[in-house]
Amino acid sequence: MTAYEKVLMARRKERPGIKEYIELLFDDFIELKGDQLGKEDGSILGGIAYFHSIPVTVIGHRKGKTTEENIACNFGMSSPEGYRKALRLMKQAEKFNRPIITFVDTPGAYPGVEAESNGQSIAIATAIAKMSALKTPIISIITGEGSSGGALAIAVADRVWMMENSIYTILSPEGFASILWKDAKMASRAAQMMKITAHDLKDMGLIDEILPEGKRAMTVLEERLDQELTLLMKIKPRTLVQKRYEKYRYIEGDYRPYKE
Amino acid sequence: MISEVLDKRKQRMERLKKIRSRTKVHCQISCPECKTEIHKAELRRIGEICPGCGYYYPMTPVERIRFLEDEKTFREMWKDLVSFDPLSFEGYGEKLKQLQEKTKHKDAVVCGIMKMEEIPVAVAVMDSRFMMGSMGTVVGEKICLLTEYAKRKKYPLLIFSASGGARMQEGLFSLMQMAKTAAAIEQFQKAGGFYLSVLTHPTTGGVSASFAALGDIVLAEPGALIGFAGPRVIEQTIGETLPEGFQRAEFLEEHGMVDKVVKREEMKSIITTLLKIHRKE
Ligand SMILES: [Zn+2]
């Protein structure tokens, strides 16, 4: 499969969305809405639930399946209010020592007039900064399209996993091609050069694990979540934050030729 | 005979004229807005502002620092960090080399320490001439090194941003720089550090949505374009032309997204005052 075929695959409507993941992996999910600053953004779904017997906070992008749903959640493109809601729920999780599990699937933050006026940059920057220091375990799973700062805003985590046919990228291959070559039709070539598939990113050390899709997907994911949550919950909060800091600070890994 | 002498004189005058006009081109610049001509040295002295209409000439990092520092107190750090071209991206290596020769810098940010009225400051200035000031691994790393240094030394941190966003040629490594720099700033601020962020033209994309937005105080230069999405992308998405002044510094101030728009003429004195107010002793 070429990189661009993966992109198309990652965008398929038939892929499981946040609702399916919640239904199949968690019990007693209760949705919590709103940024408490004036708005509810449907493009991010959040709430609390049990994972096995552990209370957790679940947050994820929501694209919707039908046209009506797509419009209601803006095709998974969030506004500042969405990121602020996500951060509010994450801080709540920290207070009650609940691990956080996020599901990432977005074409990017919404490029709109209102989003800009309401501080898109500040909302994303704050979410990223605060997530980096939250004293509770965080696991992020890229399930479809993980695109731009809009993805990262809920994906600064102790473990970052990718479903095998998902992508994680700085911007869409179409956007990339139109900036670099002034031609969105070169997206296929861009996708190849950008190294955005799960395997490329795992090879470069930018993600931790690739999860299989298909029949076994949910079973494997459930098992891995159980194992890693058990492990992460044993780590002292201070150590956890320190390790998360180092994970991003030295994200270049072996590529990093810098010395102080 | 006489005509010969006159001819020679004429030729000499022509030559002189040519030389003079060449020197003039070299030392005088004319404002792109109002065409006012000004000598380069004079322009530098008054902070790269057109005396005719107030237009802000783009400032290189060195010019910016010279304008702010106590004389000869700036010491550059980590100046030799060079991108390792993580994706081995076609044409990127050559592009870097060209720009390095042209700008005499290795990448899009200059970092170091300087003093302002005796107060030591950890300072970074981004360079929009270098691939639009985009943030890749070098910018990310240098911002982190500087922030960690400021934290250790208990120095205030001052960053002038100017960036088109993340550096596409370094792919997801560039996106990760947002997390890396934001995390460093978070630790610096949690330790009580004072971070003053100044947004200059333009500050967009991955830089505006990471360290640039996180200042304890955020100032902006008049007229600077500041936003997450670029205006062209927004226009394409919503299918409308954007209103005049949208995403400019004044617009952000009006919407409560920056603390203060500060004229370049007043920048130095406001920064100094803020540094004094936050001095720890
Ligand atoms: Zn002028």
Side-chain angles (χ1 to χ4, degrees), chain A residues 111 116-118 121-122 125 130 132 152 170 176 189 193 195 245 248-249 252 255-256 258 260, chain B residues 84 87 90 137 141 145 148 166 168 171 174 177 180 183 186 208-209 227-229 247 251 257:
Chain A
E116 290 290 323
S117 311
N118 292 349
S121 290
I122 299 181
K130 296 294 171 194
S132 77
L152 187 65
I170 191 155
F176 190 96
R189 175 149 178 245
M193 291 172 82
K195 304 209 169 107
Y245 183 75
Y248 287 94
R249 182 66 185 84
E252 295 84 4
Y255 288 85
R256 184 172 179 273
Y258 312 142
E260 274 191 58
Chain B
F84 56 95
L87 306 187
E90 203 184 301
T137 49
E141 182 73 18
L145 286 168
E148 287 170 339
M168 302 193 313
S174 295
Q177 304 308 310
K180 186 170 141 174
E186 176 73 11
S208 87
F228 182 65
Q247 288 185 316
F251 173 90
M257 297 303 156

mmCIF file of all heavy atoms in Angstrom, chain A residues 111 116-118 121-122 125 130 132 152 170 176 189 193 195 245 248-249 252 255-256 258 260, chain B residues 84 87 90 137 141 145 148 166 168 171 174 177 180 183 186 208-209 227-229 247 251 257:
data_model
loop_
_atom_site.group_PDB
_atom_site.id
_atom_site.type_symbol
_atom_site.label_atom_id
_atom_site.label_comp_id
_atom_site.label_asym_id
_atom_site.label_seq_id
_atom_site.Cartn_x
_atom_site.Cartn_y
_atom_site.Cartn_z
ATOM 1 N N PRO A 111 -9.859 26.141 10.584
ATOM 2 C CA PRO A 111 -9.371 27.449 10.155
ATOM 3 C C PRO A 111 -10.536 28.385 9.866
ATOM 4 O O PRO A 111 -10.948 28.530 8.724
ATOM 5 C CB PRO A 111 -8.577 27.130 8.878
ATOM 6 C CG PRO A 111 -9.145 25.839 8.362
ATOM 7 C CD PRO A 111 -9.936 25.183 9.468
ATOM 8 N N GLU A 116 -10.252 31.857 15.103
ATOM 9 C CA GLU A 116 -9.073 32.717 15.249
ATOM 10 C C GLU A 116 -9.336 33.830 16.265
ATOM 11 O O GLU A 116 -8.506 34.123 17.114
ATOM 12 C CB GLU A 116 -8.684 33.327 13.896
ATOM 13 C CG GLU A 116 -8.125 32.323 12.905
ATOM 14 C CD GLU A 116 -6.739 31.796 13.289
ATOM 15 O OE1 GLU A 116 -5.924 32.570 13.808
ATOM 16 O OE2 GLU A 116 -6.490 30.595 13.073
ATOM 17 N N SER A 117 -10.528 34.431 16.164
ATOM 18 C CA SER A 117 -10.866 35.534 17.073
ATOM 19 C C SER A 117 -10.888 35.064 18.523
ATOM 20 O O SER A 117 -10.583 35.826 19.433
ATOM 21 C CB SER A 117 -12.240 36.108 16.742
ATOM 22 O OG SER A 117 -12.341 36.363 15.369
ATOM 23 N N ASN A 118 -11.269 33.801 18.723
ATOM 24 C CA ASN A 118 -11.376 33.283 20.085
ATOM 25 C C ASN A 118 -10.098 32.626 20.606
ATOM 26 O O ASN A 118 -10.114 31.988 21.646
ATOM 27 C CB ASN A 118 -12.541 32.296 20.191
ATOM 28 C CG ASN A 118 -13.875 32.992 20.028
ATOM 29 O OD1 ASN A 118 -13.951 34.221 20.036
ATOM 30 N ND2 ASN A 118 -14.934 32.222 19.866
ATOM 31 N N SER A 121 -4.755 29.690 18.645
ATOM 32 C CA SER A 121 -3.347 29.444 18.989
ATOM 33 C C SER A 121 -3.168 29.253 20.490
ATOM 34 O O SER A 121 -2.489 28.322 20.933
ATOM 35 C CB SER A 121 -2.473 30.621 18.562
ATOM 36 O OG SER A 121 -2.383 30.677 17.174
ATOM 37 N N ILE A 122 -3.774 30.146 21.255
ATOM 38 C CA ILE A 122 -3.594 30.077 22.712
ATOM 39 C C ILE A 122 -4.207 28.792 23.257
ATOM 40 O O ILE A 122 -3.629 28.127 24.116
ATOM 41 C CB ILE A 122 -4.229 31.306 23.405
ATOM 42 C CG1 ILE A 122 -3.557 32.576 22.905
ATOM 43 C CG2 ILE A 122 -4.111 31.196 24.917
ATOM 44 C CD1 ILE A 122 -4.073 33.847 23.537
ATOM 45 N N ALA A 125 -1.844 25.878 22.300
ATOM 46 C CA ALA A 125 -0.583 25.981 23.042
ATOM 47 C C ALA A 125 -0.784 25.622 24.514
ATOM 48 O O ALA A 125 0.020 24.889 25.100
ATOM 49 C CB ALA A 125 -0.010 27.390 22.917
ATOM 50 N N LYS A 130 0.039 22.258 29.208
ATOM 51 C CA LYS A 130 -0.504 21.697 30.456
ATOM 52 C C LYS A 130 -0.475 20.176 30.440
ATOM 53 O O LYS A 130 -0.201 19.543 31.448
ATOM 54 C CB LYS A 130 -1.933 22.203 30.695
ATOM 55 C CG LYS A 130 -2.026 23.704 30.912
ATOM 56 C CD LYS A 130 -1.335 24.124 32.189
ATOM 57 C CE LYS A 130 -1.234 25.648 32.276
ATOM 58 N NZ LYS A 130 -0.292 26.105 33.316
ATOM 59 N N SER A 132 1.665 18.344 29.092
ATOM 60 C CA SER A 132 3.032 17.864 29.292
ATOM 61 C C SER A 132 3.362 17.700 30.769
ATOM 62 O O SER A 132 4.287 16.983 31.117
ATOM 63 C CB SER A 132 4.034 18.817 28.627
ATOM 64 O OG SER A 132 4.210 19.983 29.416
ATOM 65 N N LEU A 152 -2.162 17.207 18.059
ATOM 66 C CA LEU A 152 -1.222 17.244 19.185
ATOM 67 C C LEU A 152 -1.869 17.803 20.450
ATOM 68 O O LEU A 152 -1.500 17.423 21.560
ATOM 69 C CB LEU A 152 -0.005 18.091 18.791
ATOM 70 C CG LEU A 152 1.160 18.108 19.778
ATOM 71 C CD1 LEU A 152 1.786 16.729 19.911
ATOM 72 C CD2 LEU A 152 2.208 19.126 19.348
ATOM 73 N N ILE A 170 2.055 16.675 10.114
ATOM 74 C CA ILE A 170 2.109 18.098 10.430
ATOM 75 C C ILE A 170 1.031 18.885 9.685
ATOM 76 O O ILE A 170 0.533 19.884 10.166
ATOM 77 C CB ILE A 170 3.517 18.606 10.115
ATOM 78 C CG1 ILE A 170 3.756 19.984 10.658
ATOM 79 C CG2 ILE A 170 3.826 18.581 8.639
ATOM 80 C CD1 ILE A 170 5.194 20.229 10.898
ATOM 81 N N PHE A 176 0.271 20.250 2.084
ATOM 82 C CA PHE A 176 1.722 20.210 1.900
ATOM 83 C C PHE A 176 2.084 20.439 0.434
ATOM 84 O O PHE A 176 2.913 21.286 0.096
ATOM 85 C CB PHE A 176 2.212 18.830 2.354
ATOM 86 C CG PHE A 176 3.705 18.696 2.459
ATOM 87 C CD1 PHE A 176 4.338 18.876 3.668
ATOM 88 C CD2 PHE A 176 4.469 18.364 1.348
ATOM 89 C CE1 PHE A 176 5.711 18.728 3.777
ATOM 90 C CE2 PHE A 176 5.845 18.225 1.442
ATOM 91 C CZ PHE A 176 6.468 18.406 2.663
ATOM 92 N N ARG A 189 2.577 12.199 -3.990
ATOM 93 C CA ARG A 189 4.034 12.302 -3.863
ATOM 94 C C ARG A 189 4.402 12.888 -2.495
ATOM 95 O O ARG A 189 5.331 12.434 -1.829
ATOM 96 C CB ARG A 189 4.559 13.189 -4.997
ATOM 97 C CG ARG A 189 6.013 13.476 -4.906
ATOM 98 C CD ARG A 189 6.690 13.676 -6.251
ATOM 99 N NE ARG A 189 8.084 13.992 -6.033
ATOM 100 C CZ ARG A 189 8.636 15.164 -6.357
ATOM 101 N NH1 ARG A 189 7.909 16.092 -6.946
ATOM 102 N NH2 ARG A 189 9.906 15.386 -6.120
ATOM 103 N N MET A 193 6.827 11.468 0.681
ATOM 104 C CA MET A 193 7.994 12.177 1.210
ATOM 105 C C MET A 193 7.858 12.548 2.681
ATOM 106 O O MET A 193 8.847 12.702 3.386
ATOM 107 C CB MET A 193 8.216 13.459 0.403
ATOM 108 C CG MET A 193 8.672 13.219 -1.027
ATOM 109 S SD MET A 193 8.684 14.777 -1.953
ATOM 110 C CE MET A 193 10.268 15.463 -1.436
ATOM 111 N N LYS A 195 6.587 10.969 5.245
ATOM 112 C CA LYS A 195 6.761 9.899 6.249
ATOM 113 C C LYS A 195 5.735 10.021 7.381
ATOM 114 O O LYS A 195 6.057 10.425 8.495
ATOM 115 C CB LYS A 195 8.183 9.902 6.787
ATOM 116 C CG LYS A 195 9.214 9.771 5.662
ATOM 117 C CD LYS A 195 10.489 9.093 6.123
ATOM 118 C CE LYS A 195 11.384 8.744 4.959
ATOM 119 N NZ LYS A 195 12.571 9.564 4.813
ATOM 120 N N TYR A 245 8.342 14.544 30.171
ATOM 121 C CA TYR A 245 9.139 15.689 29.715
ATOM 122 C C TYR A 245 10.315 15.208 28.868
ATOM 123 O O TYR A 245 10.545 15.707 27.764
ATOM 124 C CB TYR A 245 9.649 16.506 30.916
ATOM 125 C CG TYR A 245 10.422 17.732 30.500
ATOM 126 C CD1 TYR A 245 9.767 18.860 30.010
ATOM 127 C CD2 TYR A 245 11.818 17.762 30.557
ATOM 128 C CE1 TYR A 245 10.465 19.977 29.598
ATOM 129 C CE2 TYR A 245 12.528 18.885 30.147
ATOM 130 C CZ TYR A 245 11.852 19.981 29.676
ATOM 131 O OH TYR A 245 12.544 21.094 29.254
ATOM 132 N N TYR A 248 9.565 13.945 25.215
ATOM 133 C CA TYR A 248 9.452 14.969 24.165
ATOM 134 C C TYR A 248 10.729 15.778 24.014
ATOM 135 O O TYR A 248 11.103 16.162 22.913
ATOM 136 C CB TYR A 248 8.237 15.865 24.430
ATOM 137 C CG TYR A 248 6.962 15.118 24.121
ATOM 138 C CD1 TYR A 248 6.275 14.437 25.121
ATOM 139 C CD2 TYR A 248 6.500 15.022 22.807
ATOM 140 C CE1 TYR A 248 5.131 13.698 24.820
ATOM 141 C CE2 TYR A 248 5.374 14.286 22.506
ATOM 142 C CZ TYR A 248 4.686 13.624 23.517
ATOM 143 O OH TYR A 248 3.588 12.885 23.208
ATOM 144 N N ARG A 249 11.399 16.004 25.127
ATOM 145 C CA ARG A 249 12.627 16.804 25.078
ATOM 146 C C ARG A 249 13.672 16.140 24.176
ATOM 147 O O ARG A 249 14.416 16.801 23.483
ATOM 148 C CB ARG A 249 13.149 16.982 26.509
ATOM 149 C CG ARG A 249 14.393 17.826 26.632
ATOM 150 C CD ARG A 249 14.120 19.241 26.236
ATOM 151 N NE ARG A 249 15.351 20.044 26.239
ATOM 152 C CZ ARG A 249 16.195 20.096 25.225
ATOM 153 N NH1 ARG A 249 15.960 19.401 24.132
ATOM 154 N NH2 ARG A 249 17.273 20.841 25.294
ATOM 155 N N GLU A 252 13.959 13.301 19.292
ATOM 156 C CA GLU A 252 14.741 12.979 18.092
ATOM 157 C C GLU A 252 15.528 11.693 18.267
ATOM 158 O O GLU A 252 16.043 11.140 17.294
ATOM 159 C CB GLU A 252 15.700 14.125 17.738
ATOM 160 C CG GLU A 252 15.008 15.428 17.339
ATOM 161 C CD GLU A 252 14.616 16.268 18.537
ATOM 162 O OE1 GLU A 252 14.947 15.882 19.674
ATOM 163 O OE2 GLU A 252 13.954 17.308 18.358
ATOM 164 N N TYR A 255 18.612 10.206 16.301
ATOM 165 C CA TYR A 255 18.858 11.204 15.258
ATOM 166 C C TYR A 255 19.523 12.453 15.836
ATOM 167 O O TYR A 255 20.008 13.286 15.124
ATOM 168 C CB TYR A 255 17.532 11.652 14.624
ATOM 169 C CG TYR A 255 16.883 10.643 13.733
ATOM 170 C CD1 TYR A 255 16.057 9.668 14.257
ATOM 171 C CD2 TYR A 255 17.101 10.673 12.360
ATOM 172 C CE1 TYR A 255 15.444 8.748 13.435
ATOM 173 C CE2 TYR A 255 16.486 9.756 11.536
ATOM 174 C CZ TYR A 255 15.659 8.789 12.077
ATOM 175 O OH TYR A 255 15.052 7.895 11.265
ATOM 176 N N ARG A 256 19.427 12.569 17.141
ATOM 177 C CA ARG A 256 19.793 13.839 17.759
ATOM 178 C C ARG A 256 21.302 13.998 17.871
ATOM 179 O O ARG A 256 21.938 13.397 18.724
ATOM 180 C CB ARG A 256 19.175 13.872 19.152
ATOM 181 C CG ARG A 256 19.375 15.150 19.893
ATOM 182 C CD ARG A 256 18.541 15.120 21.160
ATOM 183 N NE ARG A 256 18.725 16.322 21.920
ATOM 184 C CZ ARG A 256 19.686 16.488 22.793
ATOM 185 N NH1 ARG A 256 20.545 15.526 23.031
ATOM 186 N NH2 ARG A 256 19.793 17.628 23.444
ATOM 187 N N TYR A 258 22.844 16.737 18.639
ATOM 188 C CA TYR A 258 23.200 17.941 19.391
ATOM 189 C C TYR A 258 23.852 17.608 20.718
ATOM 190 O O TYR A 258 23.440 16.714 21.410
ATOM 191 C CB TYR A 258 21.950 18.782 19.678
ATOM 192 C CG TYR A 258 21.083 18.998 18.485
ATOM 193 C CD1 TYR A 258 19.703 18.984 18.610
ATOM 194 C CD2 TYR A 258 21.648 19.205 17.231
ATOM 195 C CE1 TYR A 258 18.892 19.177 17.516
ATOM 196 C CE2 TYR A 258 20.844 19.404 16.133
ATOM 197 C CZ TYR A 258 19.466 19.382 16.278
ATOM 198 O OH TYR A 258 18.674 19.576 15.206
ATOM 199 N N GLU A 260 25.330 19.780 24.236
ATOM 200 C CA GLU A 260 25.412 21.114 24.836
ATOM 201 C C GLU A 260 26.854 21.556 24.950
ATOM 202 O O GLU A 260 27.725 20.737 25.161
ATOM 203 C CB GLU A 260 24.761 21.103 26.227
ATOM 204 C CG GLU A 260 23.276 21.331 26.136
ATOM 205 C CD GLU A 260 22.646 21.584 27.497
ATOM 206 O OE1 GLU A 260 23.067 22.542 28.168
ATOM 207 O OE2 GLU A 260 21.747 20.833 27.857
ATOM 208 N N PHE B 84 19.662 18.109 11.074
ATOM 209 C CA PHE B 84 20.176 16.819 10.607
ATOM 210 C C PHE B 84 19.295 16.259 9.493
ATOM 211 O O PHE B 84 19.427 15.106 9.117
ATOM 212 C CB PHE B 84 20.316 15.844 11.765
ATOM 213 C CG PHE B 84 19.041 15.623 12.534
ATOM 214 C CD1 PHE B 84 18.213 14.562 12.232
ATOM 215 C CD2 PHE B 84 18.666 16.490 13.546
ATOM 216 C CE1 PHE B 84 17.032 14.357 12.935
ATOM 217 C CE2 PHE B 84 17.481 16.296 14.253
ATOM 218 C CZ PHE B 84 16.666 15.233 13.951
ATOM 219 N N LEU B 87 14.256 13.694 7.520
ATOM 220 C CA LEU B 87 13.556 12.911 6.491
ATOM 221 C C LEU B 87 14.398 12.745 5.229
ATOM 222 O O LEU B 87 13.930 12.182 4.246
ATOM 223 C CB LEU B 87 12.223 13.577 6.122
ATOM 224 C CG LEU B 87 11.234 13.911 7.241
ATOM 225 C CD1 LEU B 87 9.926 14.411 6.648
ATOM 226 C CD2 LEU B 87 10.982 12.722 8.141
ATOM 227 N N GLU B 90 14.161 15.824 -0.102
ATOM 228 C CA GLU B 90 14.673 16.271 -1.403
ATOM 229 C C GLU B 90 14.874 17.791 -1.477
ATOM 230 O O GLU B 90 13.925 18.557 -1.317
ATOM 231 C CB GLU B 90 13.642 15.852 -2.450
ATOM 232 C CG GLU B 90 14.159 15.714 -3.853
ATOM 233 C CD GLU B 90 12.992 15.399 -4.791
ATOM 234 O OE1 GLU B 90 12.316 14.363 -4.561
ATOM 235 O OE2 GLU B 90 12.743 16.200 -5.704
ATOM 236 N N THR B 137 13.698 21.084 13.945
ATOM 237 C CA THR B 137 14.392 20.572 15.124
ATOM 238 C C THR B 137 15.402 21.564 15.718
ATOM 239 O O THR B 137 15.577 21.595 16.927
ATOM 240 C CB THR B 137 15.130 19.269 14.780
ATOM 241 O OG1 THR B 137 15.891 19.478 13.586
ATOM 242 C CG2 THR B 137 14.149 18.138 14.536
ATOM 243 N N GLU B 141 15.058 22.854 19.445
ATOM 244 C CA GLU B 141 16.134 22.520 20.369
ATOM 245 C C GLU B 141 16.723 23.774 21.019
ATOM 246 O O GLU B 141 16.937 23.820 22.228
ATOM 247 C CB GLU B 141 17.232 21.751 19.616
ATOM 248 C CG GLU B 141 18.401 21.296 20.465
ATOM 249 C CD GLU B 141 18.049 20.129 21.388
ATOM 250 O OE1 GLU B 141 17.033 19.461 21.142
ATOM 251 O OE2 GLU B 141 18.796 19.906 22.351
ATOM 252 N N LEU B 145 16.922 24.657 24.890
ATOM 253 C CA LEU B 145 18.203 24.867 25.567
ATOM 254 C C LEU B 145 18.208 26.210 26.288
ATOM 255 O O LEU B 145 18.633 26.317 27.437
ATOM 256 C CB LEU B 145 19.353 24.818 24.548
ATOM 257 C CG LEU B 145 19.723 23.425 24.013
ATOM 258 C CD1 LEU B 145 20.666 23.552 22.812
ATOM 259 C CD2 LEU B 145 20.367 22.575 25.103
ATOM 260 N N GLU B 148 15.774 26.138 29.345
ATOM 261 C CA GLU B 148 16.355 25.370 30.451
ATOM 262 C C GLU B 148 17.514 26.138 31.096
ATOM 263 O O GLU B 148 17.680 26.118 32.317
ATOM 264 C CB GLU B 148 16.830 24.000 29.950
ATOM 265 C CG GLU B 148 15.654 23.060 29.649
ATOM 266 C CD GLU B 148 16.076 21.785 28.937
ATOM 267 O OE1 GLU B 148 17.160 21.765 28.326
ATOM 268 O OE2 GLU B 148 15.297 20.801 28.998
ATOM 269 N N ALA B 166 5.408 25.615 11.416
ATOM 270 C CA ALA B 166 6.310 24.468 11.528
ATOM 271 C C ALA B 166 7.041 24.252 10.201
ATOM 272 O O ALA B 166 6.536 24.608 9.149
ATOM 273 C CB ALA B 166 5.523 23.231 11.899
ATOM 274 N N MET B 168 7.894 22.279 7.264
ATOM 275 C CA MET B 168 7.323 21.115 6.592
ATOM 276 C C MET B 168 8.368 20.071 6.222
ATOM 277 O O MET B 168 8.092 18.885 6.264
ATOM 278 C CB MET B 168 6.628 21.557 5.313
ATOM 279 C CG MET B 168 5.536 22.578 5.532
ATOM 280 S SD MET B 168 4.530 22.758 4.059
ATOM 281 C CE MET B 168 5.762 22.893 2.780
ATOM 282 N N GLY B 171 8.843 17.264 8.612
ATOM 283 C CA GLY B 171 7.696 16.410 8.907
ATOM 284 C C GLY B 171 7.254 16.425 10.359
ATOM 285 O O GLY B 171 7.217 17.473 10.996
ATOM 286 N N SER B 174 8.915 18.252 13.236
ATOM 287 C CA SER B 174 8.588 19.660 13.481
ATOM 288 C C SER B 174 7.383 19.791 14.405
ATOM 289 O O SER B 174 7.371 20.635 15.293
ATOM 290 C CB SER B 174 8.308 20.381 12.164
ATOM 291 O OG SER B 174 9.472 20.430 11.384
ATOM 292 N N GLN B 177 8.217 19.521 17.928
ATOM 293 C CA GLN B 177 8.888 20.675 18.540
ATOM 294 C C GLN B 177 7.891 21.554 19.296
ATOM 295 O O GLN B 177 8.250 22.260 20.224
ATOM 296 C CB GLN B 177 9.640 21.517 17.498
ATOM 297 C CG GLN B 177 10.655 20.741 16.673
ATOM 298 C CD GLN B 177 11.634 19.941 17.508
ATOM 299 O OE1 GLN B 177 12.243 20.463 18.431
ATOM 300 N NE2 GLN B 177 11.780 18.666 17.181
ATOM 301 N N LYS B 180 7.656 19.878 22.600
ATOM 302 C CA LYS B 180 8.937 19.998 23.285
ATOM 303 C C LYS B 180 9.140 21.407 23.869
ATOM 304 O O LYS B 180 9.468 21.558 25.045
ATOM 305 C CB LYS B 180 10.001 19.692 22.220
ATOM 306 C CG LYS B 180 11.392 19.601 22.656
ATOM 307 C CD LYS B 180 12.217 19.045 21.493
ATOM 308 C CE LYS B 180 13.547 19.741 21.434
ATOM 309 N NZ LYS B 180 14.440 19.133 20.424
ATOM 310 N N ALA B 183 6.499 22.274 26.598
ATOM 311 C CA ALA B 183 6.811 21.578 27.851
ATOM 312 C C ALA B 183 7.943 22.292 28.594
ATOM 313 O O ALA B 183 7.903 22.438 29.817
ATOM 314 C CB ALA B 183 7.191 20.125 27.568
ATOM 315 N N GLU B 186 6.578 25.415 30.161
ATOM 316 C CA GLU B 186 5.742 25.063 31.313
ATOM 317 C C GLU B 186 6.608 24.822 32.556
ATOM 318 O O GLU B 186 6.306 25.327 33.644
ATOM 319 C CB GLU B 186 4.901 23.828 30.967
ATOM 320 C CG GLU B 186 4.042 23.280 32.086
ATOM 321 C CD GLU B 186 2.826 24.137 32.426
ATOM 322 O OE1 GLU B 186 2.520 25.072 31.653
ATOM 323 O OE2 GLU B 186 2.206 23.881 33.472
ATOM 324 N N SER B 208 3.011 30.065 16.727
ATOM 325 C CA SER B 208 1.981 30.825 17.433
ATOM 326 C C SER B 208 1.188 29.911 18.360
ATOM 327 O O SER B 208 0.654 30.356 19.365
ATOM 328 C CB SER B 208 1.046 31.522 16.448
ATOM 329 O OG SER B 208 -0.012 30.680 16.065
ATOM 330 N N ALA B 209 1.113 28.609 18.045
ATOM 331 C CA ALA B 209 0.348 27.673 18.877
ATOM 332 C C ALA B 209 1.254 26.859 19.796
ATOM 333 O O ALA B 209 0.893 25.774 20.236
ATOM 334 C CB ALA B 209 -0.488 26.747 18.011
ATOM 335 N N GLY B 227 -1.677 34.508 14.061
ATOM 336 C CA GLY B 227 -2.816 33.595 14.041
ATOM 337 C C GLY B 227 -2.371 32.167 13.901
ATOM 338 O O GLY B 227 -1.193 31.900 13.658
ATOM 339 N N PHE B 228 -3.292 31.251 14.060
ATOM 340 C CA PHE B 228 -2.936 29.838 13.877
ATOM 341 C C PHE B 228 -2.979 29.486 12.393
ATOM 342 O O PHE B 228 -1.993 29.117 11.794
ATOM 343 C CB PHE B 228 -3.866 28.928 14.695
ATOM 344 C CG PHE B 228 -3.484 27.478 14.552
ATOM 345 C CD1 PHE B 228 -2.257 27.031 15.027
ATOM 346 C CD2 PHE B 228 -4.321 26.574 13.938
ATOM 347 C CE1 PHE B 228 -1.877 25.694 14.881
ATOM 348 C CE2 PHE B 228 -3.950 25.228 13.790
ATOM 349 C CZ PHE B 228 -2.731 24.803 14.262
ATOM 350 N N ALA B 229 -4.137 29.638 11.789
ATOM 351 C CA ALA B 229 -4.268 29.344 10.365
ATOM 352 C C ALA B 229 -3.885 30.583 9.559
ATOM 353 O O ALA B 229 -4.155 31.703 9.971
ATOM 354 C CB ALA B 229 -5.697 28.939 10.049
ATOM 355 N N GLN B 247 -6.692 39.300 12.038
ATOM 356 C CA GLN B 247 -5.453 38.633 12.462
ATOM 357 C C GLN B 247 -4.262 39.578 12.611
ATOM 358 O O GLN B 247 -3.128 39.132 12.694
ATOM 359 C CB GLN B 247 -5.066 37.493 11.512
ATOM 360 C CG GLN B 247 -5.970 36.284 11.616
ATOM 361 C CD GLN B 247 -5.481 35.134 10.761
ATOM 362 O OE1 GLN B 247 -5.101 35.338 9.616
ATOM 363 N NE2 GLN B 247 -5.497 33.927 11.287
ATOM 364 N N PHE B 251 -6.175 43.645 16.093
ATOM 365 C CA PHE B 251 -7.351 42.777 16.120
ATOM 366 C C PHE B 251 -7.257 41.805 17.307
ATOM 367 O O PHE B 251 -8.227 41.578 18.029
ATOM 368 C CB PHE B 251 -7.402 42.007 14.794
ATOM 369 C CG PHE B 251 -8.468 40.941 14.703
ATOM 370 C CD1 PHE B 251 -9.733 41.239 14.220
ATOM 371 C CD2 PHE B 251 -8.192 39.631 15.078
ATOM 372 C CE1 PHE B 251 -10.709 40.255 14.111
ATOM 373 C CE2 PHE B 251 -9.159 38.639 14.975
ATOM 374 C CZ PHE B 251 -10.417 38.950 14.500
ATOM 375 N N MET B 257 -6.528 38.700 23.064
ATOM 376 C CA MET B 257 -5.593 37.607 22.859
ATOM 377 C C MET B 257 -4.120 37.997 22.998
ATOM 378 O O MET B 257 -3.253 37.144 22.939
ATOM 379 C CB MET B 257 -5.824 36.965 21.476
ATOM 380 C CG MET B 257 -7.200 36.335 21.335
ATOM 381 S SD MET B 257 -7.494 35.085 22.599
ATOM 382 C CE MET B 257 -9.288 35.083 22.645
#
